[in-house]
Amino acid sequence: MGKKTWIIATESRRLGGIVAAARRVSDSVSIAAVGSSDLASEVASYGADRVVAFVASDDVPVEPLGPCVAEFIAADGTDIALSNDSGSARCILGAVAGAIGAAVVGNAQALSLDGDNVVADNLIANAKAIEAVSAPRMACIYTGPDDDRIEGSAAAIECAPVPSIEDRAIGFEEATGTGLATASRVVGVGMGLATRDNLPLIDALADAMGAELACTLPCCDDMRWYPSERVLGSSHNTASPDLYIAVGISGSPNHTSGFRDAKTAVAVNNDPDAEIFNCCKYGIVGDLFDVVPALTEAFK
Ligand SMILES: Cc1cc2nc3c(=O)[nH]c(=O)nc-3n(C[C@H](O)[C@H](O)[C@H](O)COP(=O)(O)OP(=O)(O)OC[C@H]3O[C@@H](n4cnc5c(N)ncnc54)[C@H](O)[C@@H]3O)c2cc1C
């Protein structure tokens, strides 16, 4: 077999499944525990051969340790790097992928070997299809089944030297709870809204419906209309409301996977061929600037 795997852990969520997936293709499985020293003790019982702690104090975000973790892992000659889908772990995984020249897979469900290549089953197309990605070196965000931790004695913990980080958190604020996870009605905003000035149109609809607001990634990252807590999709949040209304959203699988479990989804889009119509029970083909005020009146 001969593959060597490093797992980036900034928390223990899904770690049992990740270690089990790594074991199926590797002789050697190590965990880089990036965070508090308690984290290293916690992950040491998950069945890895080696645990290396990259300790950051509580007021330091772990992401700046990415280059240091990447350098350490690359020097160890690894073939596979894995992490869960938390933002901090993904950020460090990206640094490791660059350092080892690995192919990056965003939604790995399982790993296998094909000769010298690692094969990752990557979930695509709104979770309707799996593509097999094959490469000698692989960095994967693992979102597959979570197994119980492998029973065994805890691995000894080594401490890696870490640079002193100047970036410190200067305060903590409670995230404004969006209630998206439990909302029974959600209105999703897409780039079809075109400018910030048009957002009151959506506020009025959400008010009339008693709905939470969600958005697509560019409405957050590019336009800064909403904070990331409101982004629905593969790399952010999920919602399973009774009713989801997607307004001016094209229907990229990266977004639609975020409302996969909605009981009824409705799309408003002026392009009759928009992909979003394939993911919704009802489609309204029309200009949102006509349709949304009419819906608002109807809900009132
Ligand atoms: C690694 C990765 C992760 C990602 N993760 C996410 C994620 O978690 N969540 C997410 O949302 N995206 C994510 N994305 C981005 C995603 O791929 C899409 O680019 C994004 O969802 C598109 O946003 P949109 O539908 O708002 O914009 P667009 O694709 O620009 O669509 C706008 C739509 O509005 C319609 N429209 C325009 N004017 C009107 C009008 N007047 N009336 C009615 N309809 C109109 C258009 O026909 C079009 O269909 C990710 C991308 C990558 C690469």
Side-chain angles (χ1 to χ4, degrees), residues 244-255:
Y244 179 66
I245 302 189
V247 181
I249 292 176
S250 56
S252 148
N254 286 318
H255 178 75

Side-chain angles (χ1 to χ4, degrees), residues 190-191 194-196 217-226:
M191 293 296 284
T195 74
R196 183 186 286 275
L217 187 60
C219 295
C220 164
D221 277 6
D222 302 343
M223 309 307 283
R224 307 277 164 190
W225 292 342
Y226 298 103

Side-chain angles (χ1 to χ4, degrees), residues 7 9-13 15-16 19 23 29-34 36-53 149-159:
I7 297 167
T10 56
E11 58 179 7
S12 60
R13 186 171 55 87
L15 194 52
V19 171
R23 278 275 172 235
V29 177
S30 307
I31 296 177
V34 192
S36 69
S37 48
D38 288 351
L39 174 72
S41 314
E42 188 188 346
V43 305
S45 62
Y46 275 77
D49 306 310
R50 182 179 180 198
V51 172
V52 176
R149 71 179 74 178
I150 297 168
E151 292 298 331
S153 51
I157 299 170
E158 302 161 44
C159 262

Side-chain angles (χ1 to χ4, degrees), residues 189-193 215-219 231-237 247-257 268-271 274 276 286-289:
V189 178
M191 293 296 284
L193 263 290
C215 68
T216 61
L217 187 60
C219 295
V231 176
L232 274 193
S234 55
S235 54
H236 287 72
N237 310 288
V247 181
I249 292 176
S250 56
S252 148
N254 286 318
H255 178 75
T256 56
S257 61
V268 179
N269 199 304
N270 61 3
D271 174 4
I276 190 81
D287 190 325
L288 69 88
F289 298 102

Side-chain angles (χ1 to χ4, degrees), residues 180-186 239-244 258-259 261-264:
L180 264 185
T182 54
S184 62
R185 293 172 174 191
V186 175
S240 46
D242 294 333
L243 176 61
Y244 179 66
F259 67 88
D261 296 328
K263 286 208 185 88
T264 302

